[in-house]
């Protein structure tokens, strides 16, 4: 269990391959993949933020049903 934005939530850890292969298996065509990165200001101001360049908080996958 983790707390995110003052809400308790369950974290699920899956590999990048799992996410992408499940989309492909469900009939989606992947168009673009991106990861969030902290701004230079955030890196300076928030302790631990440089680590987010190593393991981004969010993975964004753009896909369309084919």
């Amino acid at each position: 269990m983790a707390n995110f934005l003052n809400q308790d939530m369950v974290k699920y850890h899956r590999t990048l391959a799992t996410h992408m292969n499940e989309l492909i298996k469900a009939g989606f065509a992947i168009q673009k993949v991106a990861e969030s990165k902290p701004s230079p200001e955030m890196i300076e101001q928030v302790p631990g933020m440089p680590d987010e360049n190593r393991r981004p908080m969010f993975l964004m996958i753009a896909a369309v049903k084919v």
Side-chain angles (χ1 to χ4, degrees):
M1 192 66 92
N3 189 285
F4 182 72
L5 300 176
N6 293 323
Q7 297 288 320
D8 287 334
M9 59 175 275
V10 177
K11 285 185 178 182
Y12 296 96
H13 297 276
R14 294 182 178 89
T15 65
L16 176 60
T18 297
H19 287 292
M20 297 182 81
N21 287 327
E22 288 298 319
L23 284 167
I24 292 166
K25 189 168 80 174
F28 286 86
I30 296 168
Q31 295 184 314
K32 188 174 183 179
V33 177
E35 299 169 325
S36 62
K37 291 191 175 196
S39 68
E41 296 80 20
M42 288 181 76
I43 289 174
E44 287 181 21
Q45 296 171 5
V46 181
M49 194 55 70
D51 206 29
E52 297 308 323
N53 282 321
R54 183 180 62 81
R55 51 168 176 72
M57 293 173 119
F58 295 98
L59 170 68
M60 296 156 279
I61 302 173
V64 294
K65 188 79 167 176
V66 291

